[in-house]
Every structure is written in C-alpha cells, then in structure tokens.
Amino acid sequence: MNQWQQSFAKRVDVLRESAIKKFETFADEVLDRTYEEYAAFTAQHDFRNIAPPHQRGTRFYKFALSEDAYVLLYFRARGIDAVESEYECSVPGHGCTEGEKVTVVLAEANPAWVERRFQTALDDLINHVSQACPAEKEAELAGV
C-alpha cells in the first residue's frame, strides 16, 4: 500500500472503532436495561431468560418457555452509524423460524424502538407456539 492508502485505511479504522464504541454505549444504556425489564416481566410467566456474554458490537438475548420454545434476539452494529435488530423463534415440532430483520440509524434506535423490537419478537414467539400447539377446545356439556 502507498502512503495515502495506509492513511486512508487508518482513518476508516478510526471511524469503525468510533461506531463500535457508540453501539456499545447504546447497548449498555438501552439494550441491556430493556432486556432486564422484559426478563423480569417474562420470568413472572415462567420464562427462562439469558443474555449470553456479548461479543463486541453484538448483543444476544434469549427468552425461553421451554427447551424448544424460545426466541433469540440479536442486535448488531452495522456500518458506521446503524444498528440491526433480528430475531428467530424456535417452535416445538417446527424448528426455527426467522423473524423480521430491521436496520435503523443509531440515532433512531431509542428506548421506544428497542421496546417494540422486544415486544414484536415475544409476540411472534407466542403466536407461533399457539399455532403449533392449539389449546384444546373445552368439552361441550352433553344434554345442556
């Protein structure tokens, strides 16, 4: 590489590093706090929740009704100013289904957006599990 290319590559690396730091701050202040709130709420309904150790620029959250009924949420730094949110559901007898993937600029990834992402993923899990395991209809009373 010539001198300009080396200088350019260093400046790009600085931009990427700055973007990762911004994502990490966002994750610590917004994502993890939101996860804690939803984990406490869903635990009241017998969910087992975990937030595995994170990798730099990424957060994962798992909400599980059972070993094979759960949703995994992923949040990742993208580019120099965006965050990507994605989830997948595991449904008994049906395996994993991909959920919605959304990318927004970090400035738009506010607490309300994060809450909507958690709510959408949890709603999708319950909808998929409900469809796969329909509740039994109450037996009708004979002769009434």
Side-chain angles (χ1 to χ4, degrees):
M1 271 196 278
N2 66 34
Q3 188 175 6
W4 177 87
Q5 290 171 328
Q6 290 175 347
S7 173
F8 183 82
K10 285 180 184 177
R11 290 185 298 165
V12 170
D13 288 344
V14 167
L15 283 174
R16 285 190 182 129
E17 182 63 26
S18 176
I20 293 293
K21 286 181 181 178
K22 287 177 187 175
F23 175 84
E24 289 296 323
T25 299
F26 162 75
D28 292 342
E29 294 175 359
V30 180
L31 291 177
D32 291 346
R33 187 177 314 142
T34 304
Y35 166 74
E36 292 299 328
E37 292 173 13
Y38 280 81
F41 172 73
T42 56
Q44 295 173 9
H45 300 282
D46 298 322
F47 276 72
R48 290 181 310 274
N49 307 305
I50 61 170
H54 64 275
Q55 299 172 353
R56 197 163 140 68
T58 306
R59 290 292 196 278
F60 301 95
Y61 306 103
K62 181 178 182 180
F63 295 86
L65 275 169
S66 68
E67 188 173 317
D68 57 351
Y70 59 84
V71 63
L72 292 173
L73 283 97
Y74 311 92
F75 292 88
R76 299 176 190 92
R78 286 292 181 236
I80 61 167
D81 68 344
V83 61
E84 177 183 86
S85 169
E86 179 180 17
Y87 67 89
E88 63 184 56
C89 297
S90 175
V91 180
H94 293 84
C96 288
T97 61
E98 289 186 23
E100 179 180 50
K101 182 189 285 190
V102 176
T103 303
V104 298
V105 294
L106 194 53
E108 293 177 11
N110 58 31
W113 179 80
V114 172
E115 283 191 18
R116 284 191 305 275
R117 301 304 305 147
F118 275 81
Q119 291 169 2
T120 298
L122 288 164
D123 283 343
D124 206 20
L125 171 66
I126 296 304
N127 290 339
H128 283 343
V129 171
S130 294
Q131 291 171 358
C133 308
E136 293 182 27
K137 294 182 180 178
E138 292 184 32
E140 293 183 31
L141 296 175
V144 176

Short mmCIF file of all heavy atoms in Angstrom, two decimals, residues 103-141:
data_model
loop_
_atom_site.label_atom_id
_atom_site.label_comp_id
_atom_site.label_asym_id
_atom_site.label_seq_id
_atom_site.Cartn_x
_atom_site.Cartn_y
_atom_site.Cartn_z
N THR A 103 -32.96 -2.59 10.20
CA THR A 103 -31.77 -1.79 10.42
C THR A 103 -32.18 -0.32 10.44
O THR A 103 -32.91 0.13 9.56
CB THR A 103 -30.72 -2.03 9.30
OG1 THR A 103 -30.41 -3.42 9.26
CG2 THR A 103 -29.45 -1.24 9.56
N VAL A 104 -31.73 0.39 11.48
CA VAL A 104 -32.01 1.83 11.59
C VAL A 104 -30.71 2.54 11.95
O VAL A 104 -29.79 1.93 12.49
CB VAL A 104 -33.09 2.14 12.65
CG1 VAL A 104 -34.43 1.50 12.30
CG2 VAL A 104 -32.65 1.75 14.04
N VAL A 105 -30.68 3.83 11.68
CA VAL A 105 -29.53 4.61 12.12
C VAL A 105 -29.55 4.65 13.64
O VAL A 105 -30.62 4.64 14.26
CB VAL A 105 -29.50 6.02 11.51
CG1 VAL A 105 -29.30 5.97 10.01
CG2 VAL A 105 -30.73 6.80 11.88
N LEU A 106 -28.39 4.67 14.23
CA LEU A 106 -28.28 4.59 15.68
C LEU A 106 -29.07 5.70 16.38
O LEU A 106 -29.65 5.49 17.44
CB LEU A 106 -26.80 4.63 16.09
CG LEU A 106 -26.47 4.23 17.52
CD1 LEU A 106 -27.05 2.86 17.88
CD2 LEU A 106 -24.97 4.23 17.73
N ALA A 107 -29.14 6.87 15.77
CA ALA A 107 -29.88 7.99 16.36
C ALA A 107 -31.37 7.67 16.50
O ALA A 107 -32.05 8.22 17.37
CB ALA A 107 -29.70 9.24 15.52
N GLU A 108 -31.92 6.77 15.67
CA GLU A 108 -33.32 6.39 15.74
C GLU A 108 -33.56 5.18 16.65
O GLU A 108 -34.70 4.82 16.93
CB GLU A 108 -33.86 6.08 14.35
CG GLU A 108 -33.91 7.28 13.44
CD GLU A 108 -34.37 6.93 12.04
OE1 GLU A 108 -34.85 5.80 11.79
OE2 GLU A 108 -34.24 7.81 11.16
N ALA A 109 -32.50 4.55 17.09
CA ALA A 109 -32.61 3.36 17.94
C ALA A 109 -32.75 3.80 19.40
O ALA A 109 -31.87 3.60 20.22
CB ALA A 109 -31.38 2.47 17.75
N ASN A 110 -33.90 4.40 19.68
CA ASN A 110 -34.17 4.91 21.02
C ASN A 110 -34.86 3.83 21.87
O ASN A 110 -35.19 2.75 21.37
CB ASN A 110 -35.02 6.18 20.93
CG ASN A 110 -36.33 5.95 20.21
OD1 ASN A 110 -36.91 4.87 20.25
ND2 ASN A 110 -36.80 6.96 19.50
N PRO A 111 -35.09 4.10 23.16
CA PRO A 111 -35.72 3.08 24.02
C PRO A 111 -37.08 2.59 23.49
O PRO A 111 -37.37 1.40 23.60
CB PRO A 111 -35.87 3.80 25.36
CG PRO A 111 -34.72 4.77 25.38
CD PRO A 111 -34.62 5.26 23.95
N ALA A 112 -37.88 3.46 22.90
CA ALA A 112 -39.18 3.03 22.38
C ALA A 112 -38.99 2.04 21.22
O ALA A 112 -39.73 1.04 21.13
CB ALA A 112 -40.00 4.23 21.92
N TRP A 113 -38.03 2.29 20.35
CA TRP A 113 -37.75 1.37 19.24
C TRP A 113 -37.30 0.02 19.78
O TRP A 113 -37.74 -1.02 19.31
CB TRP A 113 -36.69 1.97 18.32
CG TRP A 113 -36.32 1.08 17.17
CD1 TRP A 113 -37.01 0.91 16.00
CD2 TRP A 113 -35.18 0.22 17.08
NE1 TRP A 113 -36.36 0.01 15.19
CE2 TRP A 113 -35.23 -0.44 15.84
CE3 TRP A 113 -34.12 -0.07 17.94
CZ2 TRP A 113 -34.27 -1.35 15.42
CZ3 TRP A 113 -33.15 -0.97 17.53
CH2 TRP A 113 -33.24 -1.61 16.29
N VAL A 114 -36.42 0.03 20.76
CA VAL A 114 -35.92 -1.21 21.35
C VAL A 114 -37.07 -1.99 21.99
O VAL A 114 -37.19 -3.21 21.81
CB VAL A 114 -34.80 -0.94 22.37
CG1 VAL A 114 -34.41 -2.21 23.12
CG2 VAL A 114 -33.59 -0.33 21.66
N GLU A 115 -37.94 -1.30 22.73
CA GLU A 115 -39.09 -1.98 23.33
C GLU A 115 -39.97 -2.63 22.26
O GLU A 115 -40.43 -3.76 22.45
CB GLU A 115 -39.91 -1.00 24.18
CG GLU A 115 -39.28 -0.70 25.50
CD GLU A 115 -40.20 0.05 26.44
OE1 GLU A 115 -41.44 0.05 26.21
OE2 GLU A 115 -39.68 0.63 27.40
N ARG A 116 -40.21 -1.93 21.17
CA ARG A 116 -41.02 -2.51 20.08
C ARG A 116 -40.36 -3.76 19.52
O ARG A 116 -41.03 -4.73 19.19
CB ARG A 116 -41.25 -1.48 18.97
CG ARG A 116 -42.29 -0.44 19.30
CD ARG A 116 -42.71 0.40 18.09
NE ARG A 116 -41.61 1.04 17.41
CZ ARG A 116 -41.06 2.21 17.73
NH1 ARG A 116 -41.54 2.88 18.77
NH2 ARG A 116 -40.06 2.72 17.02
N ARG A 117 -39.03 -3.75 19.41
CA ARG A 117 -38.32 -4.93 18.91
C ARG A 117 -38.50 -6.11 19.86
O ARG A 117 -38.76 -7.23 19.41
CB ARG A 117 -36.83 -4.63 18.70
CG ARG A 117 -36.53 -3.50 17.74
CD ARG A 117 -37.14 -3.67 16.36
NE ARG A 117 -36.72 -4.93 15.79
CZ ARG A 117 -37.46 -5.69 14.98
NH1 ARG A 117 -38.66 -5.29 14.61
NH2 ARG A 117 -37.00 -6.82 14.52
N PHE A 118 -38.38 -5.89 21.16
CA PHE A 118 -38.59 -6.97 22.13
C PHE A 118 -40.03 -7.45 22.08
O PHE A 118 -40.29 -8.65 22.08
CB PHE A 118 -38.23 -6.48 23.55
CG PHE A 118 -36.77 -6.58 23.89
CD1 PHE A 118 -35.87 -5.62 23.46
CD2 PHE A 118 -36.30 -7.64 24.65
CE1 PHE A 118 -34.53 -5.70 23.78
CE2 PHE A 118 -34.95 -7.74 24.98
CZ PHE A 118 -34.06 -6.77 24.54
N GLN A 119 -40.98 -6.52 22.05
CA GLN A 119 -42.40 -6.89 22.03
C GLN A 119 -42.75 -7.67 20.77
O GLN A 119 -43.46 -8.68 20.84
CB GLN A 119 -43.27 -5.64 22.14
CG GLN A 119 -43.19 -4.98 23.49
CD GLN A 119 -43.85 -3.60 23.51
OE1 GLN A 119 -44.41 -3.15 22.51
NE2 GLN A 119 -43.77 -2.93 24.65
N THR A 120 -42.26 -7.23 19.62
CA THR A 120 -42.54 -7.93 18.36
C THR A 120 -42.02 -9.35 18.41
O THR A 120 -42.71 -10.30 18.03
CB THR A 120 -41.90 -7.16 17.18
OG1 THR A 120 -42.50 -5.87 17.11
CG2 THR A 120 -42.10 -7.90 15.87
N ALA A 121 -40.80 -9.53 18.91
CA ALA A 121 -40.20 -10.87 18.98
C ALA A 121 -40.97 -11.77 19.94
O ALA A 121 -41.28 -12.93 19.62
CB ALA A 121 -38.74 -10.77 19.40
N LEU A 122 -41.32 -11.25 21.10
CA LEU A 122 -42.06 -12.06 22.08
C LEU A 122 -43.46 -12.38 21.58
O LEU A 122 -43.94 -13.51 21.74
CB LEU A 122 -42.10 -11.34 23.43
CG LEU A 122 -40.76 -11.31 24.18
CD1 LEU A 122 -40.79 -10.27 25.29
CD2 LEU A 122 -40.44 -12.69 24.73
N ASP A 123 -44.13 -11.40 20.96
CA ASP A 123 -45.46 -11.67 20.39
C ASP A 123 -45.38 -12.74 19.31
O ASP A 123 -46.23 -13.64 19.24
CB ASP A 123 -46.06 -10.39 19.78
CG ASP A 123 -46.60 -9.43 20.82
OD1 ASP A 123 -46.82 -9.84 21.97
OD2 ASP A 123 -46.79 -8.24 20.46
N ASP A 124 -44.36 -12.65 18.46
CA ASP A 124 -44.20 -13.63 17.39
C ASP A 124 -43.99 -15.03 17.97
O ASP A 124 -44.54 -16.01 17.47
CB ASP A 124 -43.04 -13.23 16.48
CG ASP A 124 -43.18 -13.76 15.07
OD1 ASP A 124 -44.30 -14.12 14.65
OD2 ASP A 124 -42.15 -13.83 14.37
N LEU A 125 -43.19 -15.13 19.01
CA LEU A 125 -42.98 -16.43 19.67
C LEU A 125 -44.31 -17.01 20.14
O LEU A 125 -44.65 -18.16 19.83
CB LEU A 125 -42.02 -16.30 20.85
CG LEU A 125 -41.91 -17.55 21.73
CD1 LEU A 125 -41.28 -18.71 20.96
CD2 LEU A 125 -41.13 -17.24 22.99
N ILE A 126 -45.08 -16.22 20.86
CA ILE A 126 -46.35 -16.72 21.41
C ILE A 126 -47.31 -17.07 20.27
O ILE A 126 -47.99 -18.10 20.32
CB ILE A 126 -46.98 -15.68 22.36
CG1 ILE A 126 -46.08 -15.47 23.58
CG2 ILE A 126 -48.38 -16.10 22.79
CD1 ILE A 126 -45.74 -16.74 24.36
N ASN A 127 -47.34 -16.27 19.22
CA ASN A 127 -48.21 -16.58 18.08
C ASN A 127 -47.81 -17.89 17.42
O ASN A 127 -48.67 -18.73 17.11
CB ASN A 127 -48.20 -15.44 17.06
CG ASN A 127 -48.89 -14.20 17.57
OD1 ASN A 127 -49.71 -14.26 18.48
ND2 ASN A 127 -48.54 -13.07 17.00
N HIS A 128 -46.52 -18.09 17.18
CA HIS A 128 -46.05 -19.33 16.54
C HIS A 128 -46.32 -20.54 17.42
O HIS A 128 -46.76 -21.58 16.93
CB HIS A 128 -44.57 -19.26 16.22
CG HIS A 128 -44.23 -18.44 15.01
ND1 HIS A 128 -45.12 -18.08 14.05
CD2 HIS A 128 -43.05 -17.92 14.61
CE1 HIS A 128 -44.53 -17.39 13.11
NE2 HIS A 128 -43.25 -17.26 13.43
N VAL A 129 -46.04 -20.42 18.71
CA VAL A 129 -46.26 -21.55 19.61
C VAL A 129 -47.75 -21.85 19.72
O VAL A 129 -48.16 -23.02 19.71
CB VAL A 129 -45.63 -21.30 21.00
CG1 VAL A 129 -46.05 -22.36 22.01
CG2 VAL A 129 -44.11 -21.25 20.89
N SER A 130 -48.58 -20.82 19.78
CA SER A 130 -50.03 -21.01 19.85
C SER A 130 -50.57 -21.73 18.62
O SER A 130 -51.44 -22.59 18.72
CB SER A 130 -50.75 -19.67 20.01
OG SER A 130 -50.43 -19.08 21.23
N GLN A 131 -50.04 -21.38 17.46
CA GLN A 131 -50.47 -22.03 16.23
C GLN A 131 -50.00 -23.48 16.16
O GLN A 131 -50.70 -24.35 15.65
CB GLN A 131 -49.97 -21.26 15.01
CG GLN A 131 -50.62 -19.93 14.83
CD GLN A 131 -49.96 -19.10 13.75
OE1 GLN A 131 -48.97 -19.50 13.14
NE2 GLN A 131 -50.50 -17.91 13.51
N ALA A 132 -48.82 -23.74 16.69
CA ALA A 132 -48.27 -25.10 16.65
C ALA A 132 -48.88 -26.00 17.71
O ALA A 132 -48.95 -27.21 17.52
CB ALA A 132 -46.75 -25.05 16.83
N CYS A 133 -49.31 -25.40 18.80
CA CYS A 133 -49.85 -26.17 19.93
C CYS A 133 -51.20 -25.57 20.32
O CYS A 133 -51.33 -24.98 21.39
CB CYS A 133 -48.91 -26.11 21.13
SG CYS A 133 -47.22 -26.54 20.80
N PRO A 134 -52.21 -25.71 19.46
CA PRO A 134 -53.50 -25.08 19.76
C PRO A 134 -54.10 -25.64 21.05
O PRO A 134 -53.96 -26.82 21.36
CB PRO A 134 -54.38 -25.42 18.56
CG PRO A 134 -53.71 -26.55 17.88
CD PRO A 134 -52.26 -26.50 18.24
N ALA A 135 -54.70 -24.74 21.81
CA ALA A 135 -55.36 -25.15 23.05
C ALA A 135 -56.53 -26.07 22.73
O ALA A 135 -57.21 -25.89 21.72
CB ALA A 135 -55.81 -23.93 23.82
N GLU A 136 -56.75 -27.04 23.59
CA GLU A 136 -57.88 -27.93 23.36
C GLU A 136 -59.18 -27.19 23.62
O GLU A 136 -59.28 -26.38 24.53
CB GLU A 136 -57.79 -29.13 24.33
CG GLU A 136 -56.62 -30.03 24.04
CD GLU A 136 -56.59 -31.24 24.98
OE1 GLU A 136 -57.67 -31.64 25.46
OE2 GLU A 136 -55.50 -31.74 25.22
N LYS A 137 -60.14 -27.44 22.76
CA LYS A 137 -61.44 -26.82 22.97
C LYS A 137 -62.09 -27.43 24.19
O LYS A 137 -61.96 -28.63 24.44
CB LYS A 137 -62.32 -27.02 21.75
CG LYS A 137 -61.83 -26.30 20.53
CD LYS A 137 -62.78 -26.49 19.38
CE LYS A 137 -62.26 -25.75 18.16
NZ LYS A 137 -63.14 -25.95 17.01
N GLU A 138 -62.76 -26.58 24.95
CA GLU A 138 -63.45 -27.10 26.12
C GLU A 138 -64.55 -28.06 25.68
O GLU A 138 -65.27 -27.79 24.72
CB GLU A 138 -64.03 -25.96 26.94
CG GLU A 138 -62.97 -25.10 27.58
CD GLU A 138 -63.58 -24.04 28.48
OE1 GLU A 138 -64.65 -24.29 29.06
OE2 GLU A 138 -62.99 -22.95 28.57
N ALA A 139 -64.64 -29.15 26.36
CA ALA A 139 -65.68 -30.14 26.02
C ALA A 139 -67.05 -29.53 26.28
O ALA A 139 -67.27 -28.88 27.29
CB ALA A 139 -65.48 -31.39 26.87
N GLU A 140 -67.92 -29.73 25.31
CA GLU A 140 -69.28 -29.21 25.49
C GLU A 140 -70.03 -30.12 26.43
O GLU A 140 -69.85 -31.34 26.43
CB GLU A 140 -70.00 -29.17 24.13
CG GLU A 140 -69.38 -28.16 23.18
CD GLU A 140 -70.15 -28.09 21.88
OE1 GLU A 140 -71.39 -28.32 21.90
OE2 GLU A 140 -69.53 -27.81 20.85
N LEU A 141 -70.86 -29.50 27.23
CA LEU A 141 -71.66 -30.27 28.17
C LEU A 141 -72.78 -30.98 27.41
O LEU A 141 -73.52 -30.36 26.67
CB LEU A 141 -72.26 -29.38 29.26
CG LEU A 141 -71.23 -28.69 30.19
CD1 LEU A 141 -71.96 -27.76 31.13
CD2 LEU A 141 -70.44 -29.73 30.96
#
